[in-house]
Amino acid sequence: MAKQIILNAFEMASAMHNSHGLWKHPESKRQRGYKDIEYWIKMAKLLERGKFDAVFFADVLGVYDTYRQSKAPSIRDGLQFPVNDASLVIPVMASVTKHLSFALTVSTTYEHPFNIARRFSTLDHLTKGRIAWNVVTSYLPNAARNFGLPEMIKHDQRYDIADEFLEVTYKLWEGSWEDDAFIEDKQNGILIDPDKVHEIHHAGKFFAVEGPHLCEPSPQRTPVIYQAGTSERGREFAAKHAECVFVGGPTPERIKYYTNDIKRRAEKYGRNPDNIKVFAFLTVIVGKTTEEAEQKFAELNHLWSPDASKAQFSGASGYDLAEYETKDLNAPFEFKNTEHGHYKAASLTKDASKKLSIGEALNKLEQLDRESIIVGNPEEVADAIQHRFEESGVDGFNLNHLITPSSLEDFIELVIPILQKRGLYKTEYKPGTLREKLFNYGSSLLPEDHPGSAYRSNRSKSFIV
Ligand SMILES: Cc1cc2nc3c(=O)[nH]c(=O)nc-3n(C[C@H](O)[C@H](O)[C@H](O)COP(=O)(O)O)c2cc1C
């Protein structure tokens, strides 16, 4: 069977996500709906009807306040603000679906591994193994100040913390409980065999955790690990831990560059590079006719918020674009390292399809980016998706929907059936957990070549690091 496209719906438990200013569209329901259980129940049923593999919840722990050194541009347009805790939305969606999975973004910089291990085990139990973790190190200065830090921890050190964070969670998920610890022996009055539950005694540079894990082993034990950082240090982290990675870049060449780099690095960790799935971004405007789609594009472009778009770029990259607005607009828009995130800064510099001037970079943010968005009738959209899928060699996409839920409804009604007819998209879900659906290991657990599986051998004893 031809390789089929894996699809995640890119989401956030927030008023607005990436569709800057489009809350003004009459069909936009998210800016009010995101607070209601019914909204998420409807979304879950819609996505499962469309056979989406997962809903991918992004998350941030602060307000974007780099642009103009102010929170106002973000708050004014609801830029990923207000934002609720998606981990509490997932069980609601899981209760009305059987196969749809859930990727939850959690920061390793502002959480504690003992707590997060329990959160994901609980979600893995409740969803019967349909949970993934998008590991981020975060990039907003306001998030640092929300957690008592005067400024962000340095970018690469955030990944050093993330490495140890994952080590602790692996020890808890993979090494603390033996499979047959829960015995419910009514005869002898033993519910759980204490000899089969082990402390972990982690003593590291950033964390000290005695254990044992507070949760019984869940269907996957370790959730499917996603990662989306594209900096050098981010790719190194992905190569060691990620089962699924998001790579930026509007061109197949840049996507292939990141893909090959991460897979080459993965081999160094003894991993089979084919065990890493690669995803790219996808934004689509589909109409019944080409004209209708172009009309929709023009309508959305008219409602676009340049300020919110520049606020998101500034916060994610650390470039205060208000400073660039007063520079020579013909000067080149250069990449520079900051302590924020790399992937956004790269999108208009290293990853851009051509070298941009400052004016061109600002202009790309000040309107809907026609170059990266697929606009057309159903066949044209399916053609463009098929081309990107085959050209870039990715395994799937994160679908960014501009108007929620109508963009999703259009996509499911008009595009999915064509992809299915072409054999590019499933007509039925595979049975089992998310890891069983995504990979062919024949097991819900981490594969033997993943570093997390090394901690299984410790189930037979309490171990001191
Ligand atoms: C598809 C995609 C989704 C992302 N979602 C988030 C997110 O929800 N929260 C976040 O803090 N960073 C998110 N990021 C950015 C990075 O994953 C993250 O901030 C990372 O810690 C820094 O990445 P870097 O290695 O590129 O500097 C996302 C990136 C991509 C490409």
Side-chain angles (χ1 to χ4, degrees):
M1 174 172 71
K3 182 174 145 188
Q4 294 193 321
I5 296 168
I6 300 168
L7 258 189
N8 297 320
F10 200 22
E11 252 303 345
M12 198 165 190
S14 56
M16 293 306 289
H17 180 202
N18 286 328
S19 314
H20 307 307
L22 301 190
W23 55 269
K24 300 191 288 287
H25 191 280
E27 288 175 17
S28 175
K29 298 209 169 43
R30 65 169 306 127
Q31 65 271 18
R32 289 185 175 273
Y34 83 96
K35 307 186 289 287
D36 296 340
I37 277 189
E38 298 71 27
Y39 172 85
W40 293 110
I41 286 173
K42 268 180 77 180
M43 171 77 75
K45 289 178 176 173
L46 172 67
L47 291 172
E48 186 147 273
R49 185 157 54 79
K51 302 279 183 301
F52 273 71
D53 293 89
V55 50
F56 181 104
F57 279 105
D59 194 24
V60 288
L61 293 168
V63 181
Y64 290 73
D65 61 2
T66 303
Y67 183 50
R68 297 194 196 133
Q69 301 301 303
S70 162
K71 293 179 178 62
S74 304
I75 293 171
R76 197 175 293 124
D77 260 309
L79 166 61
Q80 300 186 15
F81 177 88
V83 52
N84 287 346
D85 181 344
S87 68
L88 303 174
V89 170
I90 287 170
V92 169
M93 299 180 86
S95 69
V96 293
T97 53
K98 290 258 169 302
H99 293 285
L100 180 70
S101 292
F102 309 92
L104 175 66
T105 295
V106 170
S107 173
T108 52
T109 305
Y110 304 115
E111 296 278 4
H112 191 282
F114 188 73
N115 221 11
I116 293 306
R118 184 171 70 152
R119 188 176 305 167
F120 277 101
S121 292
T122 306
L123 287 169
D124 201 37
H125 279 300
L126 292 177
T127 62
K128 294 193 172 28
R130 292 182 282 151
I131 198 75
W133 174 16
N134 175 38
V135 183
V136 298
T137 61
S138 303
Y139 48 62
L140 294 176
N142 177 236
R145 295 192 295 270
N146 290 335
F147 288 88
L149 300 174
E151 57 185 17
M152 283 194 289
I153 295 166
K154 294 279 176 254
H155 176 277
D156 286 5
Q157 190 187 357
R158 299 201 297 267
Y159 274 111
D160 296 343
I161 294 168
D163 270 328
E164 187 181 331
F165 194 112
L166 271 283
E167 186 186 348
V168 177
T169 52
Y170 294 149
K171 287 178 180 176
L172 293 166
W173 287 324
E174 297 294 332
S176 180
W177 282 64
E178 296 185 40
D179 290 337
D180 54 353
F182 184 96
I183 53 175
E184 202 176 19
D185 177 351
K186 294 179 182 165
Q187 228 57 41
N188 299 304
I190 305 171
L191 182 62
I192 295 162
D193 181 349
D195 296 337
K196 293 181 182 263
V197 176
H198 307 288
E199 297 165 349
I200 68 165
H201 296 289
H202 176 86
K205 182 176 174 191
F206 302 106
F207 303 105
V209 177
E210 179 180 271
H213 186 29
L214 295 181
C215 299
E216 280 184 64
S218 61
Q220 300 181 118
R221 280 184 177 260
T222 296
V224 175
I225 304 288
Y226 278 69
Q227 199 269 358
T230 56
S231 62
E232 278 281 335
R233 188 63 185 78
R235 300 202 299 271
E236 192 64 23
F237 179 88
K240 185 174 178 186
H241 301 284
E243 296 175 84
C244 299
V245 291
F246 289 104
V247 291
T251 60
E253 294 68 34
R254 284 310 285 178
I255 289 173
K256 280 188 189 149
Y257 165 75
Y258 285 126
T259 302
N260 297 337
D261 181 63
I262 289 168
K263 293 194 172 193
R264 184 179 48 75
R265 292 168 188 257
E267 288 187 283
K268 197 177 56 185
Y269 290 106
R271 298 185 65 193
N272 173 353
D274 295 339
N275 284 351
I276 298 177
K277 298 239 179 264
V278 181
F279 290 76
F281 272 118
L282 181 67
T283 306
V284 163
I285 297 178
V286 61
K288 290 198 174 58
T289 64
T290 312
E291 294 68 32
E292 187 191 293
E294 288 297 348
Q295 225 165 10
K296 280 185 180 178
F297 177 85
E299 190 189 1
L300 298 185
N301 198 29
H302 176 67
L303 297 172
W304 186 253
S305 164
D307 268 10
S309 177
K310 287 186 277 189
Q312 183 188 25
F313 183 90
S314 298
S317 65
Y319 302 13
D320 179 353
L321 292 178
E323 291 169 13
Y324 287 77
E325 287 163 344
T326 55
K327 288 182 178 191
D328 168 9
L329 297 183
N330 295 316
F333 189 68
E334 303 284 12
F335 178 83
K336 65 179 179 182
N337 269 317
T338 71
E339 299 306 335
H340 293 233
H342 166 277
Y343 86 101
K344 208 71 169 169
S347 67
L348 291 183
T349 53
K350 302 177 182 176
D351 292 345
S353 49
K354 72 176 185 75
K355 195 122 184 65
L356 299 173
S357 68
I358 291 175
E360 287 168 325
L362 291 171
N363 190 262
K364 269 180 98 59
L365 293 166
E366 288 164 351
Q367 53 192 318
L368 257 183
D369 181 12
R370 191 67 175 77
E371 182 191 6
S372 63
I373 295 177
I374 295 173
V375 181
N377 67 36
E379 288 293 339
E380 290 165 333
V381 168
D383 290 347
I385 292 172
Q386 182 168 356
H387 173 72
R388 281 195 191 180
F389 181 58
E390 290 166 353
E391 270 300 291
S392 59
V394 294
D395 298 285
F397 298 100
N398 241 27
L399 181 71
N400 200 20
H401 33 103
L402 292 170
I403 303 292
T404 317
S406 56
S407 306
L408 270 176
E409 288 159 347
D410 293 345
F411 186 84
I412 288 167
E413 187 204 330
L414 300 172
V415 181
I416 292 272
I418 297 175
L419 296 176
Q420 288 172 325
K421 218 165 43 213
R422 296 183 185 182
L424 289 167
Y425 199 70
K426 59 182 164 306
T427 52
E428 283 310 326
Y429 281 106
K430 269 169 72 177
T433 62
L434 175 58
R435 191 169 279 121
E436 287 174 305
K437 290 179 195 299
L438 288 177
F439 301 96
N440 294 316
Y441 306 138
S443 158
S444 296
L445 304 180
L446 281 175
E448 289 303 324
D449 69 328
H450 187 285
S453 62
Y455 296 98
R456 279 179 204 146
S457 56
N458 297 305
R459 276 180 215 159
S460 54
K461 61 186 185 324
S462 295
F463 51 96
I464 310 285
V465 170

